[in-house]
Amino acid sequence: MLMGQARWVGWLVALRDTLVAGFGLKTSSELRGDVATDRIDFFRVYDRRRHEIILGEDDRHLDFRLSVLVEESALCRRLVATTVVTFNHLGGRAYIAGIAPFHRLIVKSSLRRAERSGWPAEL
C-alpha cells in the first residue's frame, strides 16, 4: 500500500518537502536517510503485528501515527487505514489544514492501488 505510489503522489511529496524545509521540518529524504530506525519508505515503523502495522513520525509541529489494519471475517477481508495526529503547536494545525485535502486523496489512492493489486491476498 505504501510502496509504488502513483507518480503524482511523489510530486506532492517533493512539493511538500520544498515548502517545509524552510521551517525546519523533516523532509522525506531526511527520513529515508535515517537508517537507525526501521522504516517503510519514509514512514517509521512503530509496531508490527500479524494484522496491523503502526507507522508514523514525530516532528516539531506534530506527531502522527498511521495504522494499516487488515480486518478479516468469514465473509470478507478489509484493509483499513487510520491516521491519528497530535499537534505540538499552532503550526501543526496550520500544516494539517493545508495538507488535509491532499492527504485524503493520497490515502484513497493508496487503498485503491492496494485493492487493484489484490492486497491483502494472504495473511
Side-chain angles (χ1 to χ4, degrees):
M1 179 182 148
L2 300 171
M3 302 299 292
Q5 294 284 341
R7 197 171 302 156
W8 61 269
V9 173
W11 297 334
L12 285 175
V13 170
L15 176 62
R16 177 248 178 230
D17 287 348
T18 301
L19 295 173
V20 304
F23 293 98
L25 302 181
K26 298 174 184 176
T27 64
S28 61
S29 59
E30 291 171 330
L31 295 171
R32 285 183 187 105
D34 179 5
V35 296
T37 58
D38 185 14
R39 294 198 174 268
I40 295 177
D41 196 16
F42 55 81
F43 294 102
R44 181 177 175 185
V45 177
Y46 282 89
D47 195 16
R48 293 175 192 254
R49 297 178 185 210
R50 184 163 186 249
H51 293 93
E52 182 180 28
I53 188 165
I54 307 291
L55 308 165
E57 192 61 50
D58 296 343
D59 207 342
R60 290 180 41 216
H61 62 315
L62 59 77
D63 304 333
F64 80 93
R65 297 296 181 269
L66 166 64
S67 163
V68 180
L69 172 71
V70 177
E71 287 185 340
E72 189 173 32
S73 73
L75 300 174
C76 70
R77 184 180 282 166
R78 292 186 334 160
L79 184 61
V80 179
T82 305
T83 305
V84 176
V85 177
T86 302
F87 301 109
N88 296 330
H89 55 71
L90 191 57
R93 290 187 185 278
Y95 174 84
I96 286 296
I99 70 151
F102 305 104
H103 174 76
R104 289 182 194 101
L105 290 172
I106 292 169
V107 170
K108 287 178 184 178
S109 171
S110 298
L111 289 169
R112 278 194 303 272
R113 289 172 71 88
E115 180 184 36
R116 281 195 305 269
S117 74
W119 199 87
E122 179 178 320
L123 295 176

